[in-house]
Each structure stands twice: as structure tokens, then as C-alpha cells.
Amino acid sequence: MPSESLRWETLEALKNSPKGKLAASASLGQFSSFYFKHKHSPTFHKIIPCSCLTRLFTFVNTLSPSQLDVLQTVCDEVQSESPEADDVSDVSNPVPLPVMSLLSPKAMETAGCIILFEEGQRKKAKMALRLRQEEQEKLVEAAANAESEQLKRFEELMELKQRQEFQSMRDMMDREIKEIMGRQEKLKEEQRHRTRLMNLRLREAELEKQRQTEGRERLRNLNNIQEEILQLNQLLEPSSQTDSALSASSLGSYSARGNHLCSQVSEVARKTAEGEFPSMEDMTVAERTLLDMRALIRQMQQELVRAQERKKEQEQEEQRRKEEQVQAQQEAKRKAEQAAKEKAQKKGLQNSAEDGTMKWYKELQNSAARCAQACQQLQSPKDAQTKTLKLELQKAATIPVSQISTNSGSQLREIFDRIDKLLSGRPVVSGGRSVSTSQHPQALEFVSYKLAEKFVKQGEEEVASHHEAAFPIAVVASGIWELHPQVGDLILAHLHRKCPYAVPHYPPMKDGTPVEEYQRILGYRVNDSGVEGQDSFLKRMSGMIRLYAAVIQLRWPFGSRQGAVPHGLNHGWRWLAQMLNMEPLADITATLLFDFLEVCGHALMKQYQGQFWKLILLLTHEYFPRIEAVTSSGQMGSVIRLKKFLEVCCLKSRAARVSCAFTPTHDDEQ
């Protein structure tokens, strides 16, 4: 198509001419820019051929600005859809070509109709799109509303479930609360039950406490009563004033009555040693005993006054009688000593103990005298405080010994511990007060002296009345002796002083010695009313020798020391051998041998066996006839008892030498 290319070249030349540039803006119109922009594009030439360009330009120039905008939009869309649009845009001319109407009016009209149709279709499409968008929005809104309703239903369902769960939780909590309340009620009921039990126990405890308080008060009153009775009983003991005013039988009756009253109180107090408190009946008995003791003291004082009055009236007569009696006794004594010496020279027996025994006897007496001298300041106090301390120490030492009896049982250990504490310097309670030997430099010597004296006195009185009391008293004395040897030496010294036959020793009568003093040396109680009776004298000697026989064979069972006892059976063997080597005394020798062998014979037999039986045979066949020879017809009671005892021993010796022990029966004692 050479003509078309020429035509375009012509147009290009016209466009570049000065006039073409001048008229470009006025004659080409709005479409020229579009044309020059896309004229090199193959797509443009396919859409609009060159033959139609003139008409197209004419049509475009008739379009309104809005229609031109639509046409411009269509061209832009066509360019965007065509892949060659970029190539058209790449070709640019620096100088725009003039717009020329190249299409025919019909073609331009057709193109305009097409454009208008397309614009109508586009509007319809836009309308349809808008309607579709509206429908879509309605659908979206309906879906949103449905979703909102579903959400509300879901929320209502969830709220319903929450309410149900809350209701179930509340029901469960109500059940748990009811269960908890039920448990609390049970706990409260149990607490009320325990409270009632506790109140009952508290009331019982209060009653028990009240009972304990009343019991302790009764026990304290009982101790005070016992202490007062023991103190009053000491007033019944023989003294220089009472000995001089009352007879021995009267003093013995008062002393026996006082000891009986003390025994009654001791029986009541013995119950308290096992942890019991005294009852009201016991307190009634104790108070009645105290009243009896006071009445006994008043009676003795009245009798003492009457005796003193009688004493003044009989003093001169008694003095004369005593002088005559002294002369007669001295004459009889000289004759008896002379006869005894002559008989001893013939028979080979002694009238006194061996030299070693006498030396030992004198050493014990000197030791006791030194102890008494050492505590002289405490014995005779000058101030009230020392006097009170003396009384407290004396009670602390003597009262426990007074409480020892055959029924003491477990109380023996308590008594022993109290005495041991006192002698060891530890404080003890006596009469509600604490007392110790460390309170005074002479307290230990004083307590030891009084304690030993009280042990011997218990043998003189308690054992003399109740033979079975020798063993509990002896076992305590043996235990104290083992721990505190100085007390044992003092016990021996007091025993030898009151019973010289326990040495054995027969004190000779020295020239110038008054008969009363000599009788005191022999162990008799002598007062202004005279010398005590022979029966009372033998009873006291019997009690002391029985106590001595029990001491040498017993040992404190709760001690921890080993080895030999400080004063054992060897001393008993020595005593028995020396007794058989000495000239017998009427009534005394038979009594002492019987009492000693009855208590200690079994232990000596087990210890010495065959030697003991030989000694018994010697006593039976050789020594007993001498006892019978010096005994008068009125003094045969003790001889008969000894004879029966020896007969039983001889029968047992012939039957089985050392096979069994022996114990005399009650008939044998009678």
C-alpha cells in the first residue's frame, strides 16, 4: 500500500511545517494527541485503517469533552489489553502531529455508536455490578446477621452452661457445707463430751488434791503429835530427880505405859511410811494417845510430888538403913570375894576379863569420854539459839531410832537413809525444820554420841520388852556402824557402861566405893528410893545382850561394801569363850548365856561348826553345874531355861552334829 504510506508521509511533512505546527492546536482537536501517540502501533492500524482516519478525525472533533474522555478511556483499556501497547508507547515523537479527520462521517458515527453502545454496556455492567454488590452486601449482611444470631445463641448456651455449672457448684458447695456443718456438730459434740470428761477429771483432781492436802495436814499433825509424845516419854525416863523420888516399880510402870503409848502412835505412823495418809480414825487414836500421855505425865508429876514429901519424912530412917545395909553388903562381898578367889584357885577360873579385853574396854570408854568432852559446849548451851539447835539435832538423831520396830518393813531403809544423811552432814527434816551437822562445829560428835546412846537404850527398853525387835534395830545399827565406825565404837562404849557383862567384865568393888555407886557400876539403877529390883535389872541386861548378839551376826543388806563386818561373829565367839572362863554369877550368867545363845547360837554354829558343839558340850557338862552351885533356890528361873535350852542342843548334837540349825520353841522359852 504505497499510497497510504505516502499519505502518512505527507501528513508528517505537513505536521512538521511551520503552518502545521501553528494549526495543530486549533484544527486537529482532541483526537490528534491520541492518534500521534498510537499511530506506530500495529494494533491501532488494525482497529482504524488509514482510509478511515479522516472520517475518524472529523467525528472526534464533533465529540463533547465527556465523550472524548470515554473514548480516551476505551483506548487506554485497548492499549492495556494489547501486548504491543508498550511498543507503541516507546515510539514517541518530540513534536506532536496535527490532528486531521481522516474517517468518513458514517464511519465516525458508527465508531461513535460503538463507543456509545460500549458505554451503555459498561453502565449496564456497572449497574449489574452494583446490583450484584448490593446483593452480595445483603447476603453478607444476612450471613452476618445469621452469624450474629448464632453467636447470641452460642453465648446464651454458654451462659446456660455457666449457670448450670454455677448451680451444680453451688449445690456441691451446699452439700459440702452441710457435711462440714455435720462434722462440726460432731466435733462440737465430741468437744462437749471431752469437756464434760475433763470437768469430771478436774473435779476428781481437785478432790484428790484436797484429799492430799488434808492428808498432808493430818500427817503433819500426826508427826507433831508423835514428836510431842516422844518428848513427853523422855520425861518418863529415869533421871536423878525421878530416881530419887519414885520407886523403880513405879518408874517402870510409867515407862512401860509411856512406851506402850509411843508404840500406839508408831503403829499409826507406820502406815504413812508406805505412802498412805493417816485417816481421821488414826488421828483420833493419836490425839487420844496424846491426851493419855499428858494425863500420864500429870499423874507422874503428882506422884512425884507425893514421893518427895514421903522422901523427906523417911530420909533419916533410910539413911540409917543404908548404912547398916552397906556394912552388911561389904562384909558379904568380902566373904564372897574371898570364897571366889579360893574356889578359882582350885578350879582354875578367872574373876576378871583378860588384859587385852580390859585394854580394849578402857580405850572405848576413853574414846566416849573424849567425844562427850568435845561436844560439851553443845551439851550445855548458854544461848537460846544453840539450845534450839541442840534440841533439833537430838530429835533428828533419836526419833528415827525410836521408830524402828518389828513391823517397820520398808521403813527401815528410810530410817537408815535419814540417819546416814545426818551423820554425813547433809540436811534432814525434823519437826518441819531442816537441820544439819554442818550448823555447828561440835554437832557431829554430839549426834554420834546421842545416836549411840539411843541405840543402846532401845536394847535396854524395846528389846527387853519385845525380843523380836532386836533384829531390825541391830540391822540398822550394823549398817550405820559400817559407814560410820565412830558411832559403832560409841555404841560399844555405852553398852559396856550400862551392861559390863557384854565385855565380859565383872567390876570388882574397890575400897572406899559406896555400895550405891558400885551397884551403878554393875548396871543397876539406883535412886533415892533404893536399888531397882532384880527382875527389872535382869530384863534390861537381857535386852542389851540380845541386841549385841543380833548386831554381831547381821549386816546391812543394801550396802555396797565388801569384806568383813567391823564387829562380827569372831567377837561373839570371844565373848562366849571368856564367859566360860570366868566364875559364874548367880542369876546373871545363866540369863546372859541363854539370851546370847538363843539369838546368836545358830550363826555361831554355822560359822564354827564342830568347835561350837564342843563349846556347848563344855558348857553343858562342866560350866552349867557351877552355875547351879552359885544359884539359890529363888533364882532358878533363868537356870531352868538355860538347862532346857542346853538339853535341846545336846539332842540335836547327838542326832546330827552340824547338819541343821536350831531355833528354840515357845515352850522351850517358857
Side-chain angles (χ1 to χ4, degrees), residues 333-386:
K333 186 64 177 178
R334 283 193 296 269
K335 292 179 180 180
E337 288 179 356
Q338 185 66 27
K341 288 180 182 179
E342 293 175 357
K343 189 174 182 180
Q345 291 174 359
K346 294 178 182 179
K347 301 293 183 178
L349 296 181
Q350 303 174 358
N351 287 324
S352 61
E354 297 177 354
D355 294 339
T357 303
M358 292 304 300
K359 181 179 179 182
W360 172 61
Y361 164 73
K362 291 178 181 179
E363 288 177 355
L364 290 175
Q365 296 303 317
N366 293 335
S367 176
R370 287 194 299 270
C371 182
Q373 184 64 30
C375 60
Q376 184 62 33
Q377 181 181 354
L378 196 58
Q379 285 273 23
S380 303
K382 297 181 180 179
D383 57 306
Q385 184 177 0
T386 308

Side-chain angles (χ1 to χ4, degrees), residues 118-343:
E118 290 177 353
E119 183 178 358
Q121 290 297 322
R122 191 177 292 111
K123 289 181 179 179
K124 289 179 182 180
K126 288 183 178 179
M127 182 63 67
L129 180 62
R130 189 180 298 110
L131 292 174
R132 192 173 176 181
Q133 288 179 348
E134 290 177 357
E135 291 177 359
Q136 190 68 27
E137 290 176 356
K138 289 180 181 178
L139 290 174
V140 170
E141 184 178 0
N145 291 333
E147 292 294 333
S148 176
E149 291 296 328
Q150 290 181 358
L151 180 61
K152 289 180 180 179
R153 302 290 86 75
F154 178 75
E155 290 177 352
E156 291 174 357
L157 180 61
M158 294 302 294
E159 184 177 359
L160 177 60
K161 289 182 178 180
Q162 288 180 356
R163 286 197 303 271
Q164 291 176 349
E165 291 177 356
F166 176 75
Q167 185 64 30
S168 63
M169 289 290 291
R170 189 162 64 181
D171 294 341
M172 183 175 65
M173 291 177 64
D174 290 340
R175 289 194 299 272
E176 291 180 354
I177 289 173
K178 289 180 180 179
E179 292 176 358
I180 292 172
M181 293 296 291
R183 287 195 295 270
Q184 287 182 351
E185 288 296 328
K186 290 181 180 179
L187 291 175
K188 288 180 180 179
E189 184 63 28
E190 292 178 358
Q191 182 66 25
R192 286 193 291 270
H193 181 65
R194 285 196 295 269
T195 303
R196 288 194 295 270
L197 292 178
M198 186 61 68
N199 291 333
L200 290 175
R201 291 175 183 173
L202 287 175
R203 285 195 293 271
E204 292 176 357
E206 289 177 357
L207 292 175
E208 180 65 20
K209 183 178 180 181
Q210 184 178 0
R211 189 184 69 81
Q212 293 282 342
T213 303
E214 294 175 354
R216 292 192 186 93
E217 184 65 26
R218 290 196 297 271
L219 179 60
R220 193 179 300 111
N221 294 335
L222 178 61
N223 292 334
N224 294 333
I225 290 173
Q226 185 180 14
E227 181 180 357
E228 184 177 354
I229 288 176
L230 291 174
Q231 291 176 354
L232 293 175
N233 188 46
Q234 291 179 354
L235 298 177
L236 297 175
E237 296 176 0
S239 61
S240 59
Q241 183 179 2
T242 56
D243 288 347
S244 61
L246 299 178
S247 63
S249 59
S250 179
L251 284 175
S253 63
Y254 283 121
S255 180
R257 178 59 178 164
N259 291 333
H260 177 68
L261 294 176
C262 291
S263 299
Q264 287 182 351
V265 178
S266 298
E267 289 293 332
V268 175
R270 193 171 298 115
K271 299 178 182 178
T272 63
E274 300 177 356
E276 299 180 0
F277 292 114
S279 61
M280 296 301 297
E281 292 77 6
D282 295 336
M283 293 303 299
T284 303
V285 172
E287 292 172 356
R288 186 168 59 249
T289 304
L290 178 60
L291 294 177
D292 293 343
M293 178 63 78
R294 290 173 179 172
L296 184 64
I297 292 296
R298 287 194 297 270
Q299 182 180 354
M300 189 193 73
Q301 290 175 349
Q302 293 173 358
E303 186 174 349
L304 181 62
V305 171
R306 290 193 297 270
Q308 288 176 350
E309 293 176 354
R310 289 194 302 270
K311 176 188 173 182
K312 293 178 181 179
E313 297 175 356
Q314 299 175 356
E315 189 173 4
Q316 294 179 354
E317 182 66 22
E318 185 68 20
Q319 183 67 26
R320 185 183 58 80
R321 186 184 63 82
K322 284 182 180 180
E323 291 176 358
E324 295 176 355
Q325 184 180 3
V326 167
Q327 293 175 0
Q329 288 180 352
Q330 287 177 350
E331 185 66 25
K333 186 64 177 178
R334 283 193 296 269
K335 292 179 180 180
E337 288 179 356
Q338 185 66 27
K341 288 180 182 179
E342 293 175 357
K343 189 174 182 180

Side-chain angles (χ1 to χ4, degrees), residues 615-659:
L615 202 64
I616 292 298
L617 292 176
L618 174 66
L619 170 60
T620 304
H621 298 296
E622 296 186 13
Y623 195 75
F624 184 74
R626 298 187 179 187
I627 296 176
E628 289 181 320
V630 299
T631 305
S632 61
S633 59
Q635 300 173 337
M636 294 301 292
S638 58
V639 176
I640 294 173
R641 286 193 295 271
L642 179 61
K643 183 178 180 180
K644 289 184 178 181
F645 180 83
L646 293 175
E647 288 175 355
V648 173
C649 291
C650 290
L651 289 174
K652 289 186 177 181
S653 175
R654 284 191 290 268
R657 292 286 182 179
V658 291
S659 62

